Amino acid sequence: MDLTRAAAEALDAADPVAAFRARFAGAGEDGLLYLDGNSLGRMPVATPAALTRVVEEEWARGLVRSWSSWVGAATRVGDLLAEGVLGAGPGEVLVGDSTTVDLYKLLVAAADARPGRDVLVCCADDFPTDRYVVAGVAQARGMTVREVPADVDEGLDHSVLAAALDERVAVVVLSAVAYRSGALADVAAVTRAVRDAGALVLWDLSHAAGAVPVDLAANGVDLAVGCTYKYLNGGPGAPAFLYVRRELQEQLRQPIWGWFGQRDQFAMGPVYDPVPGIERFAVGTPPVLALAAVEVGARLVAEAGVDRLAAKGRALGELVVALADDWLAPHGVALASPRDPARRGAHVTLASSAAWQLTQALVDRGVVPDFRTPDRVRLGPAPLYTRFVDVWDAMACIREVLASGVHEGYPTERSRVT
Amino acid sequence: MDLTRAAAEALDAADPVAAFRARFAGAGEDGLLYLDGNSLGRMPVATPAALTRVVEEEWARGLVRSWSSWVGAATRVGDLLAEGVLGAGPGEVLVGDSTTVDLYKLLVAAADARPGRDVLVCCADDFPTDRYVVAGVAQARGMTVREVPADVDEGLDHSVLAAALDERVAVVVLSAVAYRSGALADVAAVTRAVRDAGALVLWDLSHAAGAVPVDLAANGVDLAVGCTYKYLNGGPGAPAFLYVRRELQEQLRQPIWGWFGQRDQFAMGPVYDPVPGIERFAVGTPPVLALAAVEVGARLVAEAGVDRLAAKGRALGELVVALADDWLAPHGVALASPRDPARRGAHVTLASSAAWQLTQALVDRGVVPDFRTPDRVRLGPAPLYTRFVDVWDAMACIREVLASGVHEGYPTERSRVT
């Protein structure tokens, strides 16, 4: 691999999604080398106008009369994600609530669908909220949690997971892309193995959606949730999506019964009677403003195409890995993601005992990575708006900081939020 | 009562909160007589700029670095509501999730706190989501629901509720202001009676917050939730608030365990260990954009003062009732709210067999009420931005429509959302 800046420029010149960069605010203007698209995606240029339309036209002028449009927003944006991002069918995806609430709803529903089974399986290195939701549901129901160990760098070994599956397992909760290492699970194989064991798998697609193809229908996925503020660029705290395979929808009991899951909602009938279809997984009034922002972000991903984004994400990751090997390894920085690009999502993680000091030094120099306790620096060059030269320049800055030792002057104790 | 338009003008001239009208978009300009503030409040003039600041400065420019401000938003807006609107203390109110999800969280937590008790009580005429949440939780836990009948017009009779309380009752869910009739519950007396029975009451303040003083501390309330898109003007689908009396917070087990309820959240520890205080009732990533809009609306209510708003709301209601008696009763329209203003919230409901046709005719004439099945028209003249002459003009329009019979040309079947 040619590791010159000119080679990175050549990759940018040949990039089929390069034009999308101009559709994000700040990209190319703010001087930031933003490698945290895996945490909070940049703002699409079109978002402020979409919000203005919702607040100034629909809310301020339309007032309650706008409900004729708002009432379908959660499924409209869901269908957009289904077709353009997730490889699912219409009526299989709904947007609303937080990722954690959606995880809870589908986990409880799935556990109810496997009566007599008393074990929930999760991955010991999964994102905290996934593990906490599993622990909370297990405690409330008197179930046992089986935490499958994962190699922190390489992700879950499928044979280790297979060994944890037996007739006691009701539900398995897993992330398609591991938040710490970026390790990509084999969604189809795991789904098959879990189904063969008589259990259901609930996928968390937070670090996958918009970054890698998840092909929910083709992979036979039953249940999934995911975040829209990372690679989908829906904005801070944007509502999550949930997916339930059509055939399963009416077999599942959604545990939080609210008026937006009710058949003929405005009849306000005496008895809860869930609407057929994906809307039975809705709960309260949909977050109208936030949905407008999600819609803009999702449209951009759909327009660029997940396959093209994944290919670029993989190439960006390969550049990170090659430069890390060449420039950073001599400074004691090690790759903490799978080396095989086919086993990675769109972020690459580095391990360094000085990870926190390094993160602070980089942020002060306009390079924004993402620190993850205790010793990891995640680099998430989102393919929609990050150039190969951005990665090159950011890696050069990391090399400079490490070579100069300037990061050693930063606090070792964490005192600020990242 | 002087029922001339001049008398209404005189009331406006003496209105101490009249100036707030200019701080809402459209009020006085759009020609609408908007009497649906009890469903969706108008947009504050300051909201678009607040959203612009969040998206263009904090998100687009600040990116993840803005988390230092966002991470406290749910409690910052909660404290604002606590002090300025709800009569609660700092650290007792949190904003996030939908009203239904918040109801669910607190209901499950309250039921867990009363082990051995197997009955949940709710009101047969309460808002659907309240009844559905109660039914869903009861079904999942093998509990029994005791639905207390309420007079649809007059609200809950406290002696009927008292008769439903016994040693089997774990939790009572009630609305402080009934969504259909506007009937105001005696929050202090009911809270006392339920507590004396050894149970907990969970108040839904959706139709009360910002319209009447709820004085949570003074009334000894333990648990409450409420909506921010009605009298608090937070925007369509704005996140709800929840209140837990400080002394109870650490006794309760919040059922949806997520990373925003975790102590030292960014340590991402292996075991869920809820943070002390109100944040243990948080779940996922807070809805940052929506919180900015809630903050603007809440500030306006706090600045105007709930007592002044409640006094004006009551006076507006008295004008509605007087005009309905005088002008509409001859057309078969009956008051369907408590006649005693001390027993009403800020909306007044009328009953008419032609309610749906009437609603459609009014909307086409720029008068926006709110239809509630099967035969009710709710008039919610929000005191922050509705003038006495607006009520007068709206009632005159209703009279005109009824007198002309023009509403009889509208469909009797509901085909559009309100």
Side-chain angles (χ1 to χ4, degrees):
Chain A
M1 197 174 195
D2 182 352
L3 295 184
T4 61
R5 195 170 192 280
E9 282 169 357
L11 289 169
D12 284 322
D15 174 10
V17 297
F20 283 90
R21 175 171 171 82
R23 296 171 68 181
F24 287 86
E29 293 156 17
D30 58 13
L32 272 191
L33 296 171
Y34 189 64
L35 301 183
D36 213 356
N38 54 312
S39 178
L40 175 68
R42 277 192 184 269
M43 186 186 79
V45 170
T47 301
L51 283 170
T52 297
R53 195 190 63 240
V54 170
V55 298
E56 301 208 344
E57 290 176 30
E58 296 179 15
W59 176 14
R61 277 202 275 282
L63 288 159
V64 287
R65 297 167 296 184
S66 295
W67 269 111
S68 54
S69 148
W70 296 335
V71 84
T75 48
R76 187 176 66 241
V77 184
D79 283 348
L80 173 62
L81 284 172
E83 187 191 344
V85 179
L86 302 172
E92 293 191 314
V93 176
L94 182 82
V95 181
D97 295 319
S98 67
T99 308
T100 310
V101 169
D102 283 339
L103 269 169
Y104 177 89
K105 292 189 293 189
L106 295 195
L107 176 58
V108 171
D112 277 346
R114 290 294 178 273
R117 290 176 172 240
D118 69 341
V119 169
L120 299 177
V121 172
C122 68
C123 175
D125 196 49
D126 209 342
F127 189 74
T129 228
D130 300 74
R131 293 183 281 108
Y132 301 159
V133 164
V134 167
V137 169
Q139 189 195 73
R141 301 169 71 99
M143 298 177 84
T144 300
V145 177
R146 207 172 272 172
E147 279 205 350
V148 178
D151 185 293
V152 174
D153 303 342
E154 291 291 327
L156 184 68
D157 181 325
H158 290 179
S159 67
V160 175
L161 174 65
L165 298 176
D166 60 26
E167 72 296 337
R168 286 182 59 192
V169 175
V171 191
V172 178
V173 174
L174 288 176
S175 286
V177 172
Y179 86 105
R180 205 191 296 267
S181 65
L184 181 64
D186 185 336
V187 170
V190 170
T191 297
R192 221 167 22 242
V194 173
R195 190 181 291 170
D196 287 348
L200 286 162
V201 60
L202 167 52
W203 287 102
D204 183 341
L205 307 176
S206 293
H207 289 80
V212 294
V214 289
D215 296 332
L216 297 180
N219 286 327
V221 171
D222 288 318
L223 303 167
V225 302
C227 171
T228 66
Y229 53 75
K230 299 176 183 294
Y231 295 105
L232 297 176
N233 309 298
F241 64 85
L242 62 79
Y243 157 88
V244 181
R245 189 164 56 83
R246 182 177 292 281
E247 293 70 25
L248 261 182
Q249 290 172 1
E250 286 169 46
Q251 298 168 34
L252 295 184
R253 177 192 184 278
Q254 198 271 97
I256 310 180
W257 295 5
W259 73 313
F260 268 78
Q262 171 76 349
R263 194 192 299 264
D264 195 6
Q265 169 187 7
F266 288 96
M268 304 199 161
V271 175
Y272 184 69
D273 177 19
V275 69
I278 195 70
E279 283 173 286
R280 65 172 49 205
F281 298 91
V283 177
T285 310
V288 172
L289 274 55
L291 281 167
V294 174
E295 188 162 6
V296 173
R299 272 194 202 292
L300 281 170
V301 171
E303 191 184 332
V306 172
D307 287 331
R308 292 199 301 176
L309 293 174
K312 181 179 174 187
R314 189 178 292 191
L316 289 164
E318 288 189 271
L319 183 59
V320 169
V321 170
L323 292 173
D325 285 345
D326 208 49
W327 294 351
L328 310 186
H331 297 286
V333 173
L335 180 66
S337 289
R339 184 164 286 279
D340 176 2
R343 295 208 50 236
R344 279 199 315 264
H347 71 272
V348 174
T349 305
L350 304 174
S352 160
S353 57
W356 175 232
Q357 291 174 301
L358 180 60
T359 300
Q360 297 168 83
L362 290 172
V363 169
D364 283 353
R365 282 152 187 80
V367 175
V368 183
D370 188 83
F371 171 77
R372 278 296 172 255
T373 185
D375 61 354
R376 301 292 150 102
V377 179
R378 298 192 303 186
L379 305 177
L384 260 175
Y385 47 76
T386 312
R387 296 173 306 176
F388 290 89
V389 291
D390 295 333
V391 164
W392 198 95
D393 291 343
M395 296 298 285
C397 181
I398 299 178
R399 174 175 60 171
E400 243 177 70
V401 166
L402 289 168
S404 70
V406 68
H407 61 293
E408 291 165 7
Y410 284 84
T412 54
E413 286 296 307
R414 295 198 71 207
S415 57
R416 56 181 181 184
V417 176
T418 55
Chain B
M1 197 173 194
D2 181 352
L3 296 183
T4 62
R5 195 171 193 281
E9 283 170 357
L11 289 169
D12 285 320
D15 173 10
V17 297
F20 283 89
R21 175 173 172 80
R23 295 171 68 184
F24 287 86
E29 294 156 15
D30 59 13
L32 273 191
L33 297 171
Y34 189 64
L35 302 183
D36 214 354
N38 53 311
S39 177
L40 175 68
R42 277 191 183 270
M43 185 186 78
V45 170
T47 300
L51 282 170
T52 297
R53 194 190 63 242
V54 170
V55 297
E56 301 208 345
E57 289 175 31
E58 296 179 14
W59 176 15
R61 276 202 276 281
L63 288 160
V64 287
R65 299 167 295 185
S66 296
W67 269 111
S68 54
S69 147
W70 295 336
V71 83
T75 48
R76 186 175 67 241
V77 184
D79 283 349
L80 173 62
L81 285 172
E83 186 191 344
V85 179
L86 302 173
E92 293 191 314
V93 176
L94 182 82
V95 182
D97 295 319
S98 67
T99 307
T100 310
V101 169
D102 283 340
L103 269 169
Y104 177 87
K105 292 189 292 189
L106 295 194
L107 176 58
V108 171
D112 277 346
R114 290 295 179 271
R117 291 177 171 239
D118 69 341
V119 168
L120 299 178
V121 172
C122 68
C123 175
D125 196 48
D126 209 342
F127 189 74
T129 228
D130 301 74
R131 293 184 281 108
Y132 301 158
V133 164
V134 167
V137 169
Q139 188 194 74
R141 302 169 69 99
M143 297 178 84
T144 299
V145 177
R146 208 172 271 172
E147 277 205 350
V148 178
D151 183 294
V152 175
D153 303 343
E154 291 290 329
L156 184 67
D157 183 323
H158 290 180
S159 66
V160 175
L161 174 64
L165 298 176
D166 60 29
E167 71 296 339
R168 286 182 58 193
V169 175
V171 191
V172 178
V173 174
L174 287 176
S175 286
V177 171
Y179 86 104
R180 204 190 297 265
S181 65
L184 181 63
D186 185 336
V187 170
V190 170
T191 298
R192 223 170 18 246
V194 173
R195 190 181 290 170
D196 288 348
L200 285 162
V201 60
L202 166 52
W203 287 103
D204 183 341
L205 307 176
S206 292
H207 289 81
V212 295
V214 289
D215 296 331
L216 297 180
N219 286 327
V221 171
D222 288 316
L223 303 166
V225 302
C227 170
T228 67
Y229 54 74
K230 299 177 183 293
Y231 296 104
L232 298 175
N233 309 299
F241 64 85
L242 62 80
Y243 157 89
V244 181
R245 189 164 57 83
R246 182 176 292 282
E247 293 70 25
L248 261 182
Q249 290 171 4
E250 288 170 45
Q251 299 169 35
L252 295 184
R253 177 192 184 279
Q254 198 270 98
I256 310 179
W257 295 4
W259 73 313
F260 267 80
Q262 170 77 348
R263 194 193 299 263
D264 195 5
Q265 169 188 6
F266 289 96
M268 304 199 163
V271 175
Y272 184 68
D273 176 20
V275 69
I278 194 70
E279 284 173 286
R280 65 172 48 203
F281 298 92
V283 177
T285 309
V288 172
L289 274 54
L291 281 168
V294 174
E295 188 163 5
V296 172
R299 272 196 202 292
L300 280 170
V301 171
E303 190 183 332
V306 172
D307 287 332
R308 293 200 301 177
L309 293 173
K312 181 179 175 188
R314 190 178 292 191
L316 289 164
E318 289 190 272
L319 183 58
V320 170
V321 171
L323 293 173
D325 285 346
D326 208 50
W327 295 351
L328 311 186
H331 297 286
V333 173
L335 180 66
S337 290
R339 185 164 285 279
D340 175 2
R343 296 211 47 238
R344 279 200 314 265
H347 71 271
V348 175
T349 306
L350 304 174
S352 161
S353 56
W356 175 232
Q357 292 175 300
L358 180 60
T359 300
Q360 297 169 83
L362 291 172
V363 169
D364 283 351
R365 281 153 187 80
V367 175
V368 183
D370 187 82
F371 171 77
R372 278 297 171 252
T373 184
D375 62 353
R376 300 293 151 98
V377 178
R378 298 192 303 186
L379 305 177
L384 260 175
Y385 47 75
T386 312
R387 296 173 306 176
F388 290 91
V389 291
D390 295 332
V391 165
W392 197 96
D393 292 343
M395 296 298 285
C397 181
I398 300 177
R399 173 174 60 172
E400 245 177 69
V401 166
L402 289 168
S404 71
V406 68
H407 62 292
E408 291 165 7
Y410 283 84
T412 53
E413 286 297 306
R414 294 196 73 206
S415 57
R416 58 180 179 184
V417 176
T418 55

